[in-house]
Amino acid sequence: MGLRRVVVTGLGAITPLGNTVPDFWNALLNGVSGADLITKFDTTKFKTKFACEVKGYKSEDFFERKEARKYDLYAQYGLIAAHEAVVDSGIESEKLDRNRVGVIWASGIGGLETFLKEISDFAKGDGTPRFNPFFIPKMIADITAGHISIRYGFRGPNFATVSACASSANAMVDAFNYIRIGYADAFVVGGSEAAVNEAGVGGFNGMHAISMRNDDPKTASRPFDRDRDGFVIGEGGAGLIFEELEHALARGAKIYAEVAGGGLSADAYHMTSPHPEGYGAMLSMQAALKDAGMQKEDIDHLNTHGTSTPLGDISEPLAIVSLFQEHAYKISINSTKSMTGHLLGAAGAIEGIATVLAVQNDIVPPTINQFNLDPEIDAKLDFTFGQAKKRIVNAALTNTFGFGGHNASIILKKYKG
């Protein structure tokens, strides 16, 4: 029995650039930065005082007060993004076999805000354990997948993937594989993260991982720039509907793009640093091409991991040139993290949406905040600096990498029947 084809039939997002997919996409094309001073807590004593926050968010706009109390902010973002994707796709139809629709929802950290609050309250008390009964269910990284399945009655495979910043890309590869081997007909797949709080910012400051460009937050996320000083932490969620092709056609679903292949690998090198030559990244891209049955010359666009970290921004271009050779210079490369910041476990899904829309619309969003290209990075590569580029995008690859050496690459292509 041959593998079944998988397509994308729905999109949903809540991001630092906009709280719906159309708003997000429009901001990407216009090169808008989502970075600004943090509003969620007092940053007076913190080395970094800015982030890419979701703007204008009020939980009461989406949830009843009693319901919202059951959800950590990361789960709220997940439910909102998943709902937009479900509505966009029409997958909630009563005519569907809900036993064949699954949910794989990722988070790199999970309910950090809940954990921070509960432990802080305990530490300030007299030692009596007065913990909220929702503490554990709100905190755990798998709970959003459960909430989504409960809301829509989707009884197919249901779990979370956790591989740091590669988490939601891993989720997409898993959903792709489960559908094509016949375990399910469709998945709500994606990820969400809400780590813009004292623990998240303080923890990444302690690692020297995030930018401290407090005098100019909007230019702080500057992938591939000589003067980059770390990533900008972001928050939000993104969801996609992956669906078996014949199932989608039978219900008259619109099709954004086809999922062509996925690749996974490990650096097996260091806890937080990438392989200096990008060997693991090269392996995941190579595996995705092989899985898709495609040649390197078939790739028109590549959405990089591109975090604006000193080491990662050197190793990934090396991996691209190592794999694609001369064709690397014909690929329109970008880093949407220059605008969104780094959504951690949700990064793969939000960049998956950006890649789907690039394929559908034949336009590549820009990489902003490029002032001086790092001399260690190949200047012949096209990083789509400054403004969006219109070009035919028949197939695109998106990369996401995580602490621990986790690498995930996904290829999306035009659906051509």
Side-chain angles (χ1 to χ4, degrees), residues 51-131:
C52 287
E53 295 179 329
V54 170
K55 313 298 189 295
Y57 178 70
K58 296 179 180 178
S59 62
E60 58 265 31
D61 291 341
F62 300 93
F63 307 98
E64 295 292 335
R65 183 178 178 184
K66 186 176 180 180
E67 182 186 17
R69 291 176 61 196
K70 300 177 183 178
Y71 306 140
D72 184 87
L73 184 58
Y74 101 94
Q76 293 181 28
Y77 289 157
L79 283 161
I80 291 165
H83 184 67
E84 185 183 4
V86 167
V87 171
D88 184 40
S89 72
I91 198 73
E92 61 181 331
S93 169
E94 292 293 340
K95 298 178 182 178
L96 298 179
D97 181 356
R98 298 189 183 212
N99 296 341
R100 300 278 301 168
V101 181
V103 182
I104 308 177
W105 200 267
S107 184
I109 298 178
L112 186 60
E113 181 71 30
T114 295
F115 188 85
L116 173 63
K117 182 181 185 306
E118 292 293 324
I119 298 302
S120 295
D121 288 349
F122 177 70
K124 293 173 185 175
D126 61 4
T128 303
R130 299 185 182 91
F131 289 96

Side-chain angles (χ1 to χ4, degrees), residues 10-244:
L11 304 173
I14 178 166
T15 80
L17 300 184
N19 297 350
T20 66
V21 169
D23 288 344
F24 163 67
W25 179 241
N26 184 62
L28 276 186
L29 294 184
N30 285 286
V32 175
S33 170
D36 212 333
L37 295 177
I38 291 170
T39 64
K40 293 179 180 293
F41 64 93
D42 182 0
T43 62
T44 301
K45 296 183 179 180
F46 284 76
K47 295 177 182 178
T48 295
K49 304 178 187 301
F50 63 93
C52 287
E53 295 179 329
V54 170
K55 313 298 189 295
Y57 178 70
K58 296 179 180 178
S59 62
E60 58 265 31
D61 291 341
F62 300 93
F63 307 98
E64 295 292 335
R65 183 178 178 184
K66 186 176 180 180
E67 182 186 17
R69 291 176 61 196
K70 300 177 183 178
Y71 306 140
D72 184 87
L73 184 58
Y74 101 94
Q76 293 181 28
Y77 289 157
L79 283 161
I80 291 165
H83 184 67
E84 185 183 4
V86 167
V87 171
D88 184 40
S89 72
I91 198 73
E92 61 181 331
S93 169
E94 292 293 340
K95 298 178 182 178
L96 298 179
D97 181 356
R98 298 189 183 212
N99 296 341
R100 300 278 301 168
V101 181
V103 182
I104 308 177
W105 200 267
S107 184
I109 298 178
L112 186 60
E113 181 71 30
T114 295
F115 188 85
L116 173 63
K117 182 181 185 306
E118 292 293 324
I119 298 302
S120 295
D121 288 349
F122 177 70
K124 293 173 185 175
D126 61 4
T128 303
R130 299 185 182 91
F131 289 96
N132 189 307
F134 293 114
F135 172 30
I136 301 301
K138 287 174 69 174
M139 178 195 69
I140 53 180
D142 68 294
I143 200 66
T144 303
H147 284 314
I148 294 168
S149 70
I150 292 166
R151 174 169 287 194
Y152 303 104
F154 296 152
R155 291 180 289 269
N158 184 279
F159 59 95
T161 51
V162 180
S163 49
C165 300
S167 296
S168 55
N170 265 140
M172 290 190 287
V173 173
D174 282 356
F176 172 54
N177 285 328
Y178 274 117
I179 293 170
R180 62 180 179 165
I181 63 175
Y183 276 30
D185 294 325
F187 273 94
V188 183
V189 61
S192 54
E193 207 77 89
V196 182
N197 52 46
E198 294 92 334
V201 174
F204 283 116
N205 266 155
M207 294 177 65
H208 303 286
I210 55 176
S211 172
M212 294 187 289
R213 200 177 296 277
N214 297 309
D215 59 334
D216 194 8
K218 291 193 180 300
T219 70
S221 183
R222 45 179 72 186
F224 313 113
D225 189 85
R226 180 193 63 195
D227 301 314
R228 65 194 182 279
D229 70 330
F231 71 83
V232 177
I233 189 171
E235 62 171 2
L240 305 91
I241 305 301
F242 278 17
E243 190 169 354
E244 193 271 325

Side-chain angles (χ1 to χ4, degrees), residues 4-8 168-177 180 240 242 256-264 281-304 323-324 327 331 348 351-360 393-401 407-415:
R4 307 192 306 169
R5 293 170 67 184
V6 180
V7 293
V8 180
S168 55
N170 265 140
M172 290 190 287
V173 173
D174 282 356
F176 172 54
N177 285 328
R180 62 180 179 165
L240 305 91
F242 278 17
Y256 285 99
E258 182 169 356
V259 187
L264 304 171
M282 187 275 292
L283 287 176
S284 69
M285 291 187 286
Q286 185 179 61
L289 281 171
K290 182 178 180 181
D291 188 44
M294 298 172 71
Q295 302 301 312
K296 58 190 179 185
E297 292 79 13
D298 295 327
I299 301 300
D300 302 305
H301 163 47
L302 198 159
N303 188 313
T304 65
L323 176 62
F324 288 97
H327 183 67
I331 299 173
E351 289 153 25
I353 289 177
T355 307
V356 165
L357 292 174
V359 169
Q360 185 195 41
V393 183
N394 286 314
L397 188 153
T398 179
N399 284 333
T400 318
F401 313 137
N407 306 302
S409 300
I410 300 165
I411 297 175
L412 297 145
K413 66 180 183 180
K414 277 184 166 50
Y415 168 66

Side-chain angles (χ1 to χ4, degrees), residues 308-330:
S308 187
T309 52
L311 298 178
D313 284 12
I314 292 174
S315 65
E316 189 174 8
L318 287 173
I320 292 168
V321 173
S322 175
L323 176 62
F324 288 97
Q325 300 293 312
E326 286 303 311
H327 183 67
Y329 307 112
K330 299 178 182 179

